[in-house]
Amino acid sequence: AQRVTQPEKLLSVFKGAPVELKCNYSYSGSPELFWYVQYSRQRLQLLLRHISRESIKGFTADLNKGETSFHLKKPFAQEEDSAMYYCALRTGGGNKLTFGTGTQLKVEL
Amino acid sequence: DTGVSQDPRHKITKRGQNVTFRCDPISEHNRLYWYRQTLGQGPEFLTYFQNEAQLEKSRLLSDRFSAERPKGSFSTLEIQRTEQGDSAMYLCASVNPTGYGYTFGSGTRLTVV
């Protein structure tokens, strides 16, 4: 069965420090991975997906099939990055997502 | 507002009562999803519709849960004989036919007392 693991419930970094939010997955098929973000009092929204290989708000994520990982990275954290981040794995043909438990990122001044 | 709308935002009900939630997706999105999120967990898939057809249901969706999407527009999720374990945030999301990323609603927070 598919599973997404986010080992850190809370990650606290100082402004300007690098950020890495960890995500590991377990899936027998060809994975398609996403990062979703939820800012305080806002809706859950898509941040990025691995297929597009883009940088959004300075964040990037590379799919590593050998390590079954999809870690989210940003070189210099900003205060506005403070939010809840969820890694998600698409399974099957119906766009169904399996989410991790989320990591709360707190950027301190 | 052209986003996904959910109603009500909050619902407090007594154990054993029935509740119904509504989701209005983005009009051109043909796929609609329901997820449930409990404290400290990520969203968990419940069911999804393509137009009016319910194509998949999770094993989490017991017989007390039913979802509909008449005419392929809005959707309702009904929980009968609510239990305290049903307390959660119920999220609706829609996806356009050629897209991949969900557009989520704000959710309905259910508290069963």
Side-chain angles (χ1 to χ4, degrees):
Chain A
Q2 60 274 9
R3 187 170 63 244
V4 175
T5 303
Q6 294 181 251
E8 302 141 328
K9 281 198 175 301
L10 174 65
L11 182 65
S12 189
V13 301
F14 285 106
K15 180 181 174 180
V19 174
E20 184 178 50
L21 300 170
K22 290 184 167 46
C23 172
N24 287 89
Y25 67 91
S26 173
Y27 182 51
S28 57
S30 182
E32 187 173 350
L33 285 133
F34 303 80
W35 277 98
Y36 279 79
V37 61
Q38 187 166 27
Y39 301 101
S40 178
R41 287 185 286 276
Q42 293 188 28
R43 306 174 185 203
L44 196 56
Q45 58 186 281
L46 176 67
L47 180 61
L48 54 79
R49 64 172 188 156
H50 88 268
I51 287 178
S52 54
R53 301 184 65 82
E54 56 198 344
S55 172
I56 303 292
K57 299 184 180 182
F59 284 98
T60 59
D62 290 319
L63 177 61
N64 185 325
K65 291 186 179 181
E67 296 182 357
T68 60
S69 69
F70 187 57
H71 303 327
L72 184 68
K73 299 177 183 179
K74 184 170 183 177
F76 308 104
Q78 301 299 312
E79 193 180 357
E80 56 266 26
D81 297 329
S82 294
M84 192 73 171
Y85 291 80
Y86 293 95
C87 183
L89 168 67
R90 176 183 167 179
T91 58
N95 262 332
K96 182 175 72 174
L97 295 178
T98 298
F99 285 85
T101 52
T103 298
Q104 179 74 46
L105 174 65
K106 185 177 179 183
V107 179
E108 299 185 74
L109 300 175
Chain B
D1 183 1
T2 57
V4 177
S5 299
Q6 290 189 248
D7 184 68
R9 293 292 300 273
H10 304 275
K11 178 71 177 178
I12 300 175
T13 191
K14 290 185 177 179
R15 191 172 48 189
Q17 297 293 305
N18 299 344
V19 294
T20 300
F21 311 140
R22 178 180 170 124
C23 172
D24 287 88
I26 293 172
S27 58
E28 59 267 28
H29 287 188
N30 65 347
R31 287 191 175 180
L32 184 149
Y33 300 79
W34 285 99
Y35 282 77
R36 180 173 68 186
Q37 186 172 21
T38 53
L39 199 60
Q41 301 297 317
E44 295 174 294
F45 172 80
L46 292 178
T47 188
Y48 92 93
F49 293 83
Q50 179 158 309
N51 300 312
E52 66 275 9
Q54 188 173 20
L55 296 187
E56 189 172 347
K57 291 168 60 173
S58 164
R59 280 169 284 185
L60 291 175
L61 217 62
S62 75
D63 292 345
R64 298 184 296 106
F65 287 72
S66 62
E68 294 183 337
R69 192 183 182 196
K71 303 177 184 176
S73 56
F74 70 92
S75 177
T76 57
L77 178 67
E78 181 183 15
I79 309 174
Q80 295 183 325
R81 305 180 303 281
T82 52
E83 301 172 356
Q84 285 191 318
D86 298 331
S87 295
M89 176 72 86
Y90 289 84
L91 295 167
C92 177
S94 67
V95 178
N96 71 41
T98 58
Y100 49 84
Y102 288 5
T103 300
F104 278 94
S106 298
T108 293
R109 182 169 294 285
L110 174 67
T111 302
V112 182
V113 298

